[in-house]
Amino acid sequence: MTEFDDRDDPVLAEPTDGDPDGDPPTGISGNKEVGAIAHLYRAEVYRSTVWRQRLDQTTNWAVISTGIGLSAAFASERASPFPIVLVGALCIMFLMLEARRYRFFYVWRFRARVLEIAFYVPMLRGEGAQIPLDRGTALSDDYVKPQYRISMIRSVGRRLRRNYGWIFAILGAAYFAKIAIHPTDVDNFAHFMRRAHIGPIPGWLALICGVAFHIGWITLAWKTWWDERTDKTKMADFLKSREDVNFRPPTKGVTPMKADD
């Protein structure tokens, strides 16, 4: 027998209960362990709440900036539509900032959701507080090696569909209204192009850039939505395996509650 014989190591020794994975026969069921999991859940919910509030802050900034830009553009007959363009650029910056914050929010949301399904659902069903020690779960892997649960491009797409798409649509409509009907209706297409001028930028170039921008964000929002419908992440696979938890019976006249993205 050597000094480092595996048979004397309680970690490396072969299990005596016949479990091929080497895990103990029972899960996390002690009072200390259950208390620690409960505090962990509270911490993850608190983190997700804080980051959700930070998301609302950037959305509020974008809405306020949009209101200021529209007020400046329609303040007088000689006012330029350029403030609408500036507000659109500012909202793009807010969108990127909010998408980055959303990636952090989704980490804590992911952890809290897994704890709810794996820990609290069995308790509510009367099965007791017992978490099986299956190696390589989505939650344990996330604590060992934290990682973003959503890509930056997909995060941008979600924020576009939820908030910023509406803001950009309002800005686009306001820009068109400014050059088409404010202060009076345009007489012909040449008049429309002349009003679309922004300083040294000709009207046709400004319109092409605006149309390309709106086509771009609409395409991005649709593309990320389609990718989410077809992509299967580790979190999606985990929730898919618990269809009995996610199932909601049909209701009469009541719309089932959906998870907030």
Side-chain angles (χ1 to χ4, degrees), residues 1 33 42 44 66 68 73 82 90 118 139 144 160 175 186 201 205 207 215 248 259:
M1 179 183 296
E33 289 80 2
R42 292 176 59 190
E44 299 299 350
T66 300
I68 295 175
F82 189 58
L90 191 61
L139 186 59
V144 172
L160 278 171
Y175 183 82
V186 295
I201 303 176
L205 181 58
L207 291 176
I215 292 177
R248 297 185 179 93

Side-chain angles (χ1 to χ4, degrees), residues 238-251:
F238 179 80
L239 296 178
K240 184 67 175 178
S241 65
R242 300 302 304 272
E243 290 182 346
D244 57 329
V245 176
N246 297 326
F247 173 74
R248 297 185 179 93
T251 55

